[in-house]
Amino acid sequence: KIVIPSNILAFITACVVGIGGTGVYYVLNSIEFNVINIVCMILMGLATSLGAMVGYDKVIQTITQIKGI
């Protein structure tokens, strides 16, 4: 059985959503895929994953505090 830490899973999922969402936006708006746009897609994936990791940590912290009460 493979156990993936939840933070890593949140990171991977957010990267896929960020990169995929940006790619879909480019396709729907007929924006060509060049080097600069691909770099922007990767940066969007990293930014989305950073937000997801911070948000995930806050959710876990809140649940832990509620359990402690």
Side-chain angles (χ1 to χ4, degrees):
K1 183 177 178 180
I2 299 173
V3 177
I4 299 174
S6 54
N7 278 348
I8 301 299
L9 186 62
F11 176 81
I12 292 170
T13 305
C15 278
V16 169
V17 169
I19 292 170
T22 306
V24 169
Y25 176 82
Y26 287 166
V27 169
L28 292 176
N29 287 304
S30 302
I31 299 172
E32 64 182 47
F33 286 92
N34 55 27
V35 175
I36 293 173
N37 289 341
I38 292 172
V39 168
C40 288
M41 287 173 62
I42 294 169
L43 290 175
M44 181 59 77
L46 293 175
T48 306
S49 65
L50 179 64
M53 297 279 287
V54 169
Y56 176 79
D57 288 342
K58 294 299 178 187
V59 169
I60 295 300
Q61 180 183 11
T62 303
I63 291 171
T64 305
Q65 289 173 351
I66 290 173
K67 284 183 181 179
I69 296 176

